Amino acid sequence: MTISASTLSIQTAVPVRDASLITSGAAVTIHHDSLDQPLDGTVARIAETPGTDGAAGDAISILIAVEEIPRALIGLNVKVVIPIESSNGAVLAVPAAALWVTTTGETQIEILDGDAPQIVNVAVGLSADGLVEIKPAAVGLLKPGMQVVIGRNNGT
C-alpha cells in the first residue's frame, strides 16, 4: 500500500539581494489573467541557501502557501506579489532605465545640471513600478526635479 499526501503550493524565487526583505508568514497575492480576483497566500518557507529547490544560483527559493489553488492554474506561470517595506517619507527616485553598473560594481546615473552632464554614484534602495530609490554617494549632488539621462542617441 502506498500512502501519499500532497498540498499544492506555489514556488518562486527572488534575487539574493531582495531575500532579506521577505519574512516567513508575509502576505502574498497571486495574479493570473484567468482569475477573476487575485488569490491570497502567505510565505510558507524561505530557503536558507541560494540555488536550492530549483532556484538559480543567485536566487533564493520561496514557497507560497495558498488555501486552494484552482486546477486551471496548475503548471502555469503566475505573478506573485509580496509587499515589502515602504520608504519612510519622500525619497529621490529615478526610472530603472537611468541606472547602470560600472565594471567595478558602482551604480551610477547621469544627470543634466546646466550645460554639462554629470555622472553621480548612487546607492539603490526600494524599487516599485519601474522607479528605483537612489541615494547619492555624496550629500548635495542630487535634488528633486533634476533631469536624468535615459539612453543616448549618438547618431547610430
Side-chain angles (χ1 to χ4, degrees):
M1 174 168 88
T2 302
I3 299 175
S4 71
S6 61
T7 302
L8 290 176
S9 58
I10 295 173
Q11 187 169 350
T12 189
V14 297
V16 171
R17 70 177 182 276
D18 296 336
S20 64
L21 301 172
I22 300 169
T23 58
S24 190
V28 175
T29 55
I30 295 93
H31 302 263
H32 191 270
D33 290 341
S34 68
L35 295 172
D36 293 332
Q37 61 185 7
L39 297 174
D40 293 324
T42 57
V43 173
R45 185 175 55 84
I46 303 169
E48 293 181 15
T49 308
T52 57
D53 300 323
D58 61 347
I60 298 289
S61 176
I62 295 179
L63 188 67
I64 308 296
V66 180
E67 193 167 312
E68 186 174 332
I69 298 175
R71 289 215 172 272
L73 289 186
I74 296 174
L76 297 180
N77 289 324
V78 295
K79 178 180 176 182
V80 175
V81 177
I82 305 171
I84 55 171
E85 296 180 41
S86 62
S87 62
N88 293 328
V91 298
L92 291 174
V94 297
L99 297 168
W100 75 85
V101 178
T102 68
T103 57
T104 59
E106 295 174 306
T107 302
Q108 298 179 329
I109 62 168
E110 184 175 0
I111 60 169
L112 298 177
D113 189 19
D115 293 332
Q118 181 181 353
I119 305 297
V120 177
N121 288 342
V122 296
V124 297
L126 297 175
S127 65
D129 299 326
L131 296 175
V132 179
E133 175 186 2
I134 58 168
K135 295 173 186 157
V139 176
L141 291 177
L142 300 176
K143 295 177 275 198
M146 291 181 121
Q147 294 181 333
V148 294
V149 176
I150 301 175
R152 287 202 172 266
N153 182 356
N154 292 329
T156 58

